[in-house]
Amino acid sequence: MAEFAPRGTGPVGIGFVGVGVISDTYLENLNSFPDVEVLILGDLLTDRAASQAQKHGIPASGTTADVLAHPGVELVVNLTVPAVHVEISSQAISAGKHVWSEKPIGIDRASARALLDQADAAGLRLGIAPDTVLGPGIQSAKRAIERGDIGRPLFAQTSMQYQGPEVFHPNPAFLFAHGAGPLFDMGPYYFTMLVSILGPVAAVAALGLKATEQREILVGPDAGKTFPVEVPSSINVLASFEHGAQSQSLLSFDSPLRRQGFVEISGTEGTIVLPDPNMFTGRTAITRPFSHRGSDPGITAGAEQPWEDVAEEGVVVGRGLGVLDMARAIRSGRPHRATGELGYHVLDTMVSAQESAARGEFIAVESTVEKIEAVPVDFDPFARTL
Ligand SMILES: NC(=O)c1ccc[n+]([C@@H]2O[C@H](COP(=O)([O-])OP(=O)(O)OC[C@H]3O[C@@H](n4cnc5c(N)ncnc54)[C@H](O)[C@@H]3O)[C@@H](O)[C@H]2O)c1
């Protein structure tokens, strides 16, 4: 990891590039942190930058070039769409600014690696979302696992499934384009959380599918227009971790059933249920194996398993926490937490899953079974039929 000397004094000056849907929450939070000062907002759409600046009381707005030329800006918050993350982050580093980028770091390994090298050579910091995993929810779970509360972690299960972002996003096409889909859009929350807790991923295998080739915008002024689906809209990823644990993760924009933030990790001494890694807070609880030999196990059919809540420790804020951590790290010279290296490893994991899904590299299972017929609807367990 790169080493940094302490730099500057006082609040860290911030400029934004890209002020779309997610910028409101960043601006509200960063405006409430005394250690940072948002000085200017930029966007391809300068009118949007101007209206967001007015709404949030930011003193200046303009183009990307205006943000990068602003002498007070030390750290650029890159909230553009994934396809241009690397391009904008690279421009900011060339302008001598530290960068916080929304996830993913980029959409291919080569340009993301070049970005890390560029930042290292310039002695500048790169921080990559998500910062949700820095919130007290996931962090309290991480601490519990690291102090051995579930013994040695064995396997994790995660699920992120719902109908898809067109139910709330007025401009969802980019979320189904190359570099997005559920894997790249939502995968960073799950894989960043898993890597944070289980360590680096060693290998992955995946299966993906597209429910349809075209989808429809459901909200906003363009509702009713269709757009192409370029990547799998559902994907199942198996991962093995360097330290021996395994995980299975479903990421789907094709399921009417909403099940987001489902995360369980089973270890030798217990199973822990974690908060949604796309949230900063949430319940963490552990259930333990029965271990009192010879006594009544108390595990009767249908009985609720006993759960121990893990206390959530820390102050709950929201998006912008990672920027604040970076800002303080810039001043003190310590490492920041959501590093470019972590962002790159998560991207590498996701690209590898996508490659596995595209190539269909699976081990063949040689046994088979005849089709299992469905139970008829008039099957009545209470009827006398014999
Ligand atoms: N919307 C969410 O709920 C959400 C949540 C977490 C993270 N994110 C991430 O935040 C990022 C932005 O998402 P969003 O939903 O705000 O998208 P958005 O489309 O609403 O906004 C993106 C903004 O970036 C601007 N932009 C695009 N290319 C640009 C360029 N080359 N130069 C300057 N500006 C450019 C656009 O004009 C637009 O204003 C994405 O990486 C997304 O993955 C979004």
Side-chain angles (χ1 to χ4, degrees), residues 17-23 42-45 48 64 79-82 84-85 87-88 102-103 168-169 171 174-175 185 189 319:
V17 178
V19 286
V21 169
I22 202 61
S23 64
D43 199 291
L44 269 183
L45 308 173
R48 183 178 279 180
T64 301
L79 304 186
T80 58
V81 293
V84 297
H85 280 173
E87 179 189 327
I88 298 295
E102 251 305 331
K103 47 74 186 167
F168 70 87
H169 205 295
N171 179 28
F174 81 89
L175 293 164
D185 182 46
Y189 297 108
R319 286 187 165 79

Side-chain angles (χ1 to χ4, degrees), residues 41-57:
L41 306 183
D43 199 291
L44 269 183
L45 308 173
T46 49
D47 286 356
R48 183 178 279 180
S51 67
Q52 284 296 81
Q54 193 185 15
K55 180 176 172 187
H56 292 278

